[in-house]
Amino acid sequence: MTEETQALEAAIRKQWDGVFIATPSEKKKFYLTVAYPYPSGAMHVGHGRTYIVPDVVARFWRMRGREVLYPMAFHVTGAPVIGISKRIARRDESAIKLYRDLYRVPEDVLETFTDPLNIVNHFSNEYERVMTQAGLSIDWSRRFTTVEPTYSKFIEWQWYHLREAGHVNKGAHPVRYCPQCENPVGDHDLLEGDKAEIQKFTLIMFQYGDAFIPCATLRPETIYGVTNLWVNPTVEYVRARVDGKEWILSRQAMEKIALQDHEVAEIGTIPGSDLVEKKVSHPFCGEVPILPAVFVDPDMATGLVMSVPAHAPYDYIALRDLQRKGQYTDIKPVGLITVEGYGEFPAVEAVEKADIINQDDPNLVELTQSVYTAEHATGKMYEQYGGKPVKIAREEIAGVLIEKHHSGIMYEFDIRPVVCRCGSRVFVKVLHNQWFLEYSDEAWKQQVKDHLENMELVPQEVRAEFFRTVDWLKDWACSRRIGLGTKMPWDPEWLIEPLSDSTIYMAYYTIASRIKHIDPALLTPAVFDYIFLGKESEGLPERERLDGMRKEFLYWYPYDFRFSAKDLISNHLTFQLFHHCTIFPKDCLPHGMVVFGMGLLNGAKMSSSKGNVYLLEDAINDFGADTVRMFLIGSGEPWQDFDWRNELVSSTKKQIERFAQTIRDGLAADGPETDIDRWLVSRMQNHISLVTTAMENFQTRQALQEAFFGFESDLKWYKRRLGQNPAGKSAMKSLCSTWVRLLAPIIPFTCEDLWKEIGEGLVSFAPWPESDASLVDDAAEIAEELLVRTVEDIESILRILKKPPRKVTICVAPSWKWEIMTLIAGAPDKKNVIRDVMQNEEIKSRGKEAADAVKQCTNLFHKLPSDLVDRIIANKPDELAVFKAASAFLAEDTKLEIEVIPADACQHMKAGSALPFKPAIIIE
């Protein structure tokens, strides 16, 4: 970024200082919110898109005359910054490198990061500074952090209501747990594995002498088909006393089991190689051998695996590999499930049909999922095993195994590794006396579903994902022992976890600038009941202030749209609907949500921990705020993924410079009005309508395409048509004013600077352009479209000529061909129209010539845009007059002699190919 651009942006930021503070007025409101950031590091360009897209929308509606609220706060609840501060305190090399080198935290400031609140304060201020640098039109008067006493009082009020409604209860549940932090952890607490889900395995206990060997499975119904166990001969296994019984399992498994409600003590070890070819037994499958398999991961479940080769592709492949070496050839798959589309042994059939070579084949994962899905969906157990559908048998058999055959439950993650921000590994732990939100409550789920039916969701496709999330949501561990945040009001030994205190803060924004002036001690639940629910009670303090807050809340709520990432549908975005439905009346429930795609950097997912980020401040300093904004908006619609590539951003910078120069040149125009000026002004009305519609539908990329390239394309033709003539003063003044305002939400710095030469005040508050139907000139637009297409055809022909041409003859179609085109446009079946058209006597009399023309016109009809055809039929151009009027332009443009004649007055053989809106072109 040049010093000139830097100075310009700084000057404009001063002009914007305080102007975006929103207050209730007579205007209609537009309230949008975005997921507030967790300020534990510097902003990167992915964050930039998250907050710039809503800013473009906010600026658009502000110019449409709405009172717009776009607030911002900082989410600092939880343990992430505590984990970070611990890593910095112990001089963790990767943490120090991340904060010192990537985030460029000064050494003296970094030394203070051993206090987590210093991390929060530093990056909160950095976020506000960089957001302001990016031109975000945020109302900063409403800024808060989630550890402020007033916010904690608000959270306490929320939780009293949730408990009163019966949605908060105590119990024992499996949670993601960090032993080092001694705390349950959520997505935002994790360095790796933030998408990890907890899976419930059935432990099937195989008898081995006086001990048990547990194998974890998600498919307990397949116990009848076990032919062997797999053990890793290179691993040293542990003998452990678990709840009084001896188990043999991996060391990692013993440590996991100890966290899951079991009394565990190590009593010895045994090499995996000693277990090979030993026998184990189970009542449901009899005696089976233990076979060697180095693919068995000691860190997965119990570290030993039961093998069901008839129904598990991996097991079949492993067994086949051994048998091809001549080993264990007496072991045969045991079928136990009938499945539509498969034979006796589905896994065997699937593997052989797919020509899977070995266990490393990448197609094996998908193949396994395919077999498992088919068996769960349509599978039925053999009659000797109960004859029930798999989905029913699975639960029933698991129950029998647990009740009568020593089986138990083990919880494990579906993906690994899962790592806390403190750097420690995360495990599944069964916590007791833990507070849970009962998202499993069917009545509560139905409330949310009923509201989702009426919500405006963008894009529409995410509606199904919301419903899926509501269906599978289980009880959620909502309390912690360690971290920052609000204490559970009725049980202060516990803290409310981060996702659970960030569900209705959109309501808090409406009062945030006012409530900070009230003593937190006065903020009883009754105070919030009055502000948000209108419930009167005696002794309410600061009544005048409370009335002001009540007025603000009623003006702004419900929020119009919430913007957030698609990966938050599975938690935050759905949680907030549950909480809103419980606490607020129906007329205060959320109106809509816009769901974002993900960000890539040079084709790879952005990750601060892995160093694959490009800081937003660096991008702004390198290219300028408007360039960053325009590139991010142009890289895809909000719900699409985007890819930041520096080499492409440079071209965006040049486009903005070109736009600014075009505006300055346009403002200097002083020519008289001409026909082409009327065309330009007419075209502008359509651009205004298209940009406005795109913005209303959150299609910010489409709006940019139309607002920037649509205008630029028209201007290119306009200047070409002018030739040496000066641009029209009136048309250019109108265009400059319109164009600058249409692009102001996207590149506000540039447009604010240009507006000084065009209008009064700030362009940020200038009225949005409105399309004027009286300025639409369909005849002029159609005439120019005809010229554009004809010039393109002439140029195409000229490019392939070998000899220099002298003359261009343009032959326009006769009226009877126009009649054919009109009949085609009105025909019910526009692909089979020959019979209908040939019923016209005048056309029929022309015989084969007419039949050929019908085919040609039909082909042309389907090639032209449908809206253009409609306009052509409604406003048939006088093609002869259009081309004669433009003959001087065409001669100058082509540097050739131009002749325009009716096709039926021309003897050249090509003249007969003239069609409506596509004249025959003869070049000599």
Side-chain angles (χ1 to χ4, degrees), residues 47-242:
H47 296 123
R49 194 206 197 197
T50 298
Y51 298 108
I52 287 169
V53 169
D55 183 64
V56 169
V57 174
R59 286 176 174 276
F60 163 71
W61 284 106
R62 199 176 285 118
M63 294 176 73
R64 290 289 297 278
R66 297 285 187 94
E67 192 71 54
V68 174
L69 174 57
Y70 180 19
M72 191 59 60
F74 298 101
H75 189 209
V76 300
T77 306
V81 289
I82 292 177
I84 293 164
S85 68
K86 286 180 178 179
R87 291 171 66 200
I88 290 173
R90 64 174 185 262
R91 306 303 292 175
D92 179 287
E93 186 178 339
S94 61
I96 296 293
K97 185 177 180 181
L98 178 67
Y99 282 83
R100 183 193 60 212
D101 300 342
L102 182 60
Y103 296 155
R104 296 196 290 274
V105 177
E107 281 287 352
D108 59 329
V109 176
L110 189 58
E111 288 173 5
T112 71
F113 279 12
T114 51
D115 180 344
L117 283 176
N118 288 335
I119 300 174
V120 167
N121 293 331
H122 174 80
F123 285 112
S124 295
N125 292 331
E126 283 295 287
Y127 262 72
E128 180 173 346
R129 182 179 65 80
V130 177
M131 286 177 166
T132 302
Q133 195 178 356
L136 302 189
S137 58
I138 289 170
D139 178 353
W140 287 109
S141 71
R142 298 170 191 266
R143 170 180 162 167
F144 64 87
T145 65
T146 56
V147 291
E148 292 173 8
T150 50
Y151 184 78
S152 288
K153 290 292 184 180
F154 166 73
I155 295 301
E156 288 176 8
W157 167 77
Q158 175 193 184
W159 280 77
Y160 279 126
H161 276 280
L162 289 170
R163 193 183 190 200
E164 184 181 338
H167 297 318
V168 188
N169 290 291
K170 224 172 193 180
H173 286 271
V175 299
R176 292 185 288 195
Y177 186 81
C178 174
Q180 182 163 293
C181 294
E182 299 180 343
N183 228 11
V185 290
D187 291 351
H188 296 293
D189 301 312
L190 297 174
L191 205 58
E192 292 184 66
D194 58 323
K195 299 303 171 198
E197 296 289 340
I198 296 173
Q199 292 183 309
K200 181 181 177 181
F201 287 81
T202 300
L203 287 180
I204 297 184
M205 311 300 287
F206 291 88
Q207 193 85 39
Y208 178 69
D210 294 331
F212 287 104
I213 292 181
C215 292
T217 181
L218 295 170
R219 307 185 65 200
E221 77 282 3
T222 63
I223 175 62
Y224 298 107
V226 172
T227 60
N228 62 278
L229 302 191
W230 298 113
V231 66
N232 191 324
T234 68
V235 171
E236 182 175 71
Y237 288 83
V238 174
R239 291 181 178 271
R241 194 163 302 285
V242 181

Side-chain angles (χ1 to χ4, degrees), residues 652-900:
T652 301
K653 182 177 177 61
K654 291 175 184 175
Q655 288 167 350
I656 295 173
E657 291 169 351
R658 192 168 68 237
F659 159 73
Q661 189 57 52
T662 302
I663 293 296
R664 293 191 173 96
D665 292 343
L667 292 173
D670 59 358
E673 183 178 328
T674 62
D675 289 344
I676 194 64
D677 288 77
R678 287 190 290 276
W679 168 82
L680 184 66
V681 172
S682 178
R683 288 280 296 168
M684 203 158 56
Q685 309 315 306
N686 187 48
H687 291 315
I688 292 170
S689 296
L690 292 173
V691 174
T692 302
T693 300
M695 282 289 203
E696 289 174 341
N697 293 327
F698 306 100
Q699 295 170 295
T700 48
R701 181 182 184 275
Q702 180 61 35
L704 171 60
Q705 293 290 315
E706 190 66 38
F708 188 86
F709 298 106
F711 272 74
E712 196 172 57
S713 177
D714 284 352
L715 273 172
K716 184 178 180 181
W717 178 252
Y718 173 75
K719 291 175 181 177
R720 188 171 176 179
R721 287 282 275 123
L722 282 174
Q724 301 301 314
N725 298 316
K729 180 178 181 179
S730 176
M732 290 307 298
K733 184 176 180 181
S734 175
L735 179 136
C736 289
S737 173
T738 300
W739 201 7
V740 167
R741 283 179 288 157
L742 289 178
L743 284 174
I746 298 169
I747 49 173
F749 290 97
T750 301
C751 292
E752 205 70 80
D753 183 50
L754 292 169
W755 188 250
K756 292 183 299 186
E757 303 175 45
I758 298 171
E760 296 181 359
L762 295 171
V763 76
S764 300
F765 294 90
W768 184 258
E770 291 187 16
S771 179
D772 186 343
S774 68
L775 297 176
V776 175
D777 189 334
D778 266 329
E781 288 196 41
I782 290 169
E784 291 304 316
E785 181 70 22
L786 176 60
L787 277 176
V788 169
R789 289 173 175 272
T790 303
V791 167
E792 287 175 350
D793 288 344
I794 291 171
E795 289 174 338
S796 295
I797 296 169
L798 291 175
R799 279 195 292 270
I800 60 175
L801 290 180
K802 294 179 179 178
K803 294 181 180 180
R806 174 184 61 82
K807 177 183 177 182
V808 177
T809 302
I810 299 173
C811 302
V812 300
S815 59
W816 64 269
K817 288 189 178 181
W818 274 99
E819 181 64 22
I820 290 175
M821 186 68 92
T822 303
L823 290 170
I824 293 170
D829 183 355
K830 294 177 174 58
K831 291 186 177 179
N832 302 295
V833 294
I834 292 182
R835 181 180 300 175
D836 294 340
V837 173
M838 294 303 283
Q839 288 178 0
N840 182 292
E841 290 299 328
E842 182 189 351
I843 296 170
K844 184 178 180 180
S845 66
R846 295 180 179 275
K848 185 177 184 303
E849 181 186 20
D852 290 342
V854 172
K855 292 178 183 177
Q856 293 164 357
C857 285
T858 302
N859 289 335
L860 176 61
F861 179 91
H862 291 296
K863 286 180 181 178
L864 293 172
S866 59
D867 62 324
L868 177 60
V869 172
D870 293 340
R871 293 168 66 205
I872 292 170
I873 298 302
N875 300 274
K876 293 186 181 70
D878 183 341
E879 293 186 313
L880 200 61
V882 169
F883 286 116
K884 284 185 178 293
S887 58
F889 156 70
L890 291 170
E892 176 63 27
D893 193 67
T894 62
K895 307 300 182 191
L896 299 170
E897 180 186 342
I898 300 293
E899 182 182 10
V900 181

